[in-house]
């Protein structure tokens, strides 16, 4: 799947402060040093479909690296934690990873507001974090990004997902230019991800000449949306744009269609899940954007899909499977670079050296070329718009977009 051409110095790695020696592992190559990669995601609760896809995809990357001997003398292990989509739990999980000196990188989380609780602890500990799903623009570019004052707040944070700035811009251009929709009712769930995505969409949509007929907020824990549905129905909107995730978006769309309003609901990658359709008997025609091209259409993803199916995971890899594999592999690749630069041994200051190596990471991944810019953002800004057809998400349009 991923071809790494650099050959490391032959020989076993020595025991270091950030690795433990495993006797008898390595198929006759000698002792191996254990390197742990953490993964944090909601493994239970409403968003567990996405979280389990993240965990499984990270697990597949670790198993592949071990099978292929990607880093000679290193045995990778996965440590998974469940953040329940709660920032307070995510912060506790961050401390667990930090306290385990074998952890040299963490993949996740899913939610941008959870990530906000984890970034500073990881940064203080010098521990690399790579999210396949966090799209909140401020996570990498700081709170001043809207005014052009870009400042990277945390040097340890990276992501293989593009930003809400790019995603909201892409969605607005698709809806206005491709779908020919000019009047939109804007709703968000007031969370970091949802509010940021809705704001970005609004900015571009109105610049294009579109009209936001009204705006509203909902509680993402609610499932009765009759009040807002009535307002939408009477607004003259041609579509609803929703900043939030599928547990609320599904019932919102179903109740909207049930009221007689024959208009689509569109959202971001937070609703691009099979569970949105399971929760919504009237999902036909609804729209979503998600990062990258659909992996099923990428030659670079064929091996990932084949190996994921062969591994027998009972949960689908979902929207972030390919990006998670690439996020995990970027840490593996950084470990390889750190080992190579230290005469084939894991450095004593392994976390610092892995962090340093992240700026040098560049490979052909599941989702395409993987590398990071000066803010820790992915250099791949490809986006895809999807429509529900025949009870499944079908790709409508892909393109690499950046706000003008």
């Amino acid at each position: 799947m991923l071809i790494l051409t650099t050959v490391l110095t032959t020989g076993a790695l020595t025991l270091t402060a950030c690795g433990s020696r495993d006797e008898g592992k390595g198929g006759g190559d000698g002792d191996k040093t254990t390197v742990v990669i953490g993964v944090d995601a909601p493994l239970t609760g409403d968003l567990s479909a996405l979280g389990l896809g993240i965990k499984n995809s990270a697990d597949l990357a670790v198993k592949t690296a071990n099978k292929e001997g990607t880093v000679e003398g290193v045995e990778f292990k996965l440590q998974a934690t469940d953040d329940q989509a709660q920032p307070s739990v995510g912060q506790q999980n961050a401390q667990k990873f930090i306290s385990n000196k074998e952890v040299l990188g963490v993949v996740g989380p899913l939610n941008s507001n959870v990530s906000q609780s984890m970034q500073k602890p990881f940064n203080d500990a010098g521990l690399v974090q790579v999210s396949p799903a966090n799209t909140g623009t401020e996570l990498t570019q700081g709170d001043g990004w809207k005014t052009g004052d870009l400042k990277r707040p945390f040097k340890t944070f990276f992501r293989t997902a593009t930003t809400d700035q790019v995603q909201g811009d892409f969605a607005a251009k698709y809806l206005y230019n491709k779908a020919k929709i000019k009047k939109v009712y804007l709703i968000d769930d007031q969370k970091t991800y949802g509010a940021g995505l809705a704001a970005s969409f609004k900015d571009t949509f109105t610049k294009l000449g579109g009209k936001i007929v009204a705006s509203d907020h909902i509680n993402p824990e609610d499932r009765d949306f009759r009040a807002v549905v009535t307002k939408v129905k009477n607004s003259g909107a041609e579509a609803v744009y929703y900043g939030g995730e599928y547990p609320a978006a599904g019932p919102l769309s179903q109740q909207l269609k049930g009221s007689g309003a024959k208009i689509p609901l569109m959202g971001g990658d937070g609703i691009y899940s099979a569970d949105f359709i399971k929760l919504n008997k009237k999902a036909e025609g609804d729209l979503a954007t998600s990062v990258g091209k659909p992996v099923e259409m990428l030659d670079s993803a064929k091996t990932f899909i084949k190996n994921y199916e062969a591994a027998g995971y009972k949960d689908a890899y979902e929207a972030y499977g390919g990006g998670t594999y690439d996020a995990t592999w970027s840490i593996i690749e950084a470990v390889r670079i750190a080992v190579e630069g230290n005469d084939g041994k894991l450095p004593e200051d392994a976390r610092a050296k892995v962090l340093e190596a992240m700026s040098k990471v560049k490979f052909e991944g599941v989702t395409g070329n993987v590398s990071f810019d000066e803010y820790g953002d992915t250099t791949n800004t490809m986006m895809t718009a999807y429509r529900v057809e025949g009870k499944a998400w079908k790709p409508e349009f892909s393109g690499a977009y950046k706000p003008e």
Side-chain angles (χ1 to χ4, degrees):
M1 177 179 297
L2 301 171
I3 301 174
L4 303 174
T5 57
T6 304
V7 179
L8 302 183
T9 303
T10 303
L13 302 187
T14 59
L15 178 65
T16 72
C18 287
S20 64
R21 179 173 290 174
D22 291 335
E23 300 294 333
K25 294 184 180 179
D29 294 331
D31 298 340
K32 289 205 171 187
T33 299
T34 297
V35 169
V36 176
I37 295 178
V39 60
D40 180 81
L43 305 180
T44 57
D46 289 341
L47 293 171
S48 61
L50 296 176
L52 290 168
I54 288 173
K55 176 189 173 185
N56 294 342
S57 300
D59 180 70
L60 180 61
V62 165
K63 287 179 177 175
T64 301
N66 288 335
K67 181 179 179 180
E68 296 180 353
T70 301
V71 184
E72 187 175 343
V74 169
E75 180 83 8
F76 290 99
K77 292 185 178 180
L78 197 73
Q79 179 183 342
T81 58
D82 176 11
D83 61 34
Q84 303 168 39
Q86 298 297 321
S88 59
V89 180
Q91 189 171 43
Q92 294 170 16
N93 292 345
Q95 293 299 334
K96 293 178 183 177
F97 291 129
I98 291 167
S99 64
N100 181 354
K101 298 304 180 182
E102 292 180 345
V103 176
L104 298 188
V106 177
V107 176
L110 169 70
N111 304 89
S112 290
N113 62 340
V114 175
S115 197
Q116 286 175 320
S117 74
M118 305 176 85
Q119 283 182 301
K120 189 177 186 303
F122 284 146
N123 194 72
D124 291 346
L127 181 57
V128 166
Q129 174 191 2
V130 188
S131 175
N134 295 161
T135 54
T137 309
E138 64 275 13
L139 297 178
T140 51
Q141 300 175 23
D143 293 334
W145 70 268
K146 291 181 181 179
T147 60
D149 182 22
L150 277 56
K151 293 180 181 178
R152 186 177 185 180
F154 302 106
K155 64 182 179 182
T156 52
F157 181 80
F158 301 80
R159 54 179 158 200
T160 55
T162 194
T163 68
D164 286 335
Q165 183 186 19
V166 173
Q167 182 168 203
D169 177 85
F170 176 84
K173 288 176 178 175
Y174 172 80
L175 209 57
Y176 188 88
N177 295 324
K178 300 290 184 181
K180 306 300 181 184
I181 287 174
K182 311 302 181 186
K183 295 188 290 184
V184 168
Y185 199 114
L186 190 65
I187 303 174
D188 72 70
D189 63 1
Q190 306 177 76
K191 292 164 68 175
T192 301
Y193 163 73
L197 189 58
S200 178
F201 173 88
K202 179 180 179 180
D203 184 55
T204 298
F205 192 71
T206 54
K207 284 180 180 177
L208 290 170
K211 182 180 180 182
I212 303 297
V213 297
S215 299
D216 229 317
H217 307 290
I218 64 167
N219 181 340
E221 304 303 320
D222 289 346
R223 296 295 179 265
D224 183 349
F225 301 112
R226 284 176 292 182
V228 70
V229 161
T230 298
K231 289 190 279 185
V232 173
K233 186 179 178 182
N234 296 329
S235 70
E238 298 169 340
V240 167
Y241 187 80
Y242 176 66
E245 296 149 333
Y246 66 81
L252 173 61
S253 173
Q254 180 167 294
Q255 290 168 38
L256 182 64
K257 311 284 184 24
S259 74
K262 298 180 180 180
I263 61 175
L265 179 143
M266 185 180 197
D269 53 330
I271 79 166
Y272 176 59
S273 167
D275 277 29
F276 173 82
I277 300 171
K278 292 177 183 177
L279 293 169
N280 183 4
K281 296 178 181 178
K282 299 180 181 293
E284 197 76 7
D286 282 345
L287 302 160
T289 55
S290 191
V291 295
K293 282 188 175 181
V295 294
E296 295 81 7
M297 296 175 63
L298 295 171
D299 289 340
S300 56
K302 288 181 179 178
T303 303
F304 164 75
I305 295 171
K306 178 182 177 182
N307 290 346
Y308 193 96
E309 292 173 350
Y313 299 113
K314 66 177 182 178
D315 311 289
Y317 51 76
E318 287 281 356
Y320 304 108
T324 297
Y325 192 100
D326 289 346
T328 310
W329 203 270
S330 70
I331 296 172
I332 292 168
E333 173 70 352
V335 172
R336 185 194 65 79
I337 293 170
V339 168
E340 181 188 33
N342 193 51
D343 296 325
K345 301 184 294 292
L346 194 68
E348 292 289 340
D349 55 344
R351 284 184 178 175
K353 287 296 189 284
V354 168
L355 175 58
E356 181 182 309
M358 287 298 294
S359 64
K360 304 172 187 175
V361 166
K362 188 174 183 179
F363 60 92
E364 179 70 17
V366 173
T367 59
N369 292 323
V370 177
S371 62
F372 306 99
D373 66 15
E374 66 270 32
Y375 300 102
D377 283 324
T378 176
T379 56
N380 183 354
T381 58
M382 184 66 66
M383 297 291 304
T384 299
Y386 297 83
R387 183 186 299 271
V388 178
E389 294 180 4
K391 298 182 180 180
W393 289 109
K394 300 293 177 64
E396 289 270 303
F397 175 76
S398 294
Y401 272 71
K402 287 187 178 180
E404 300 172 357

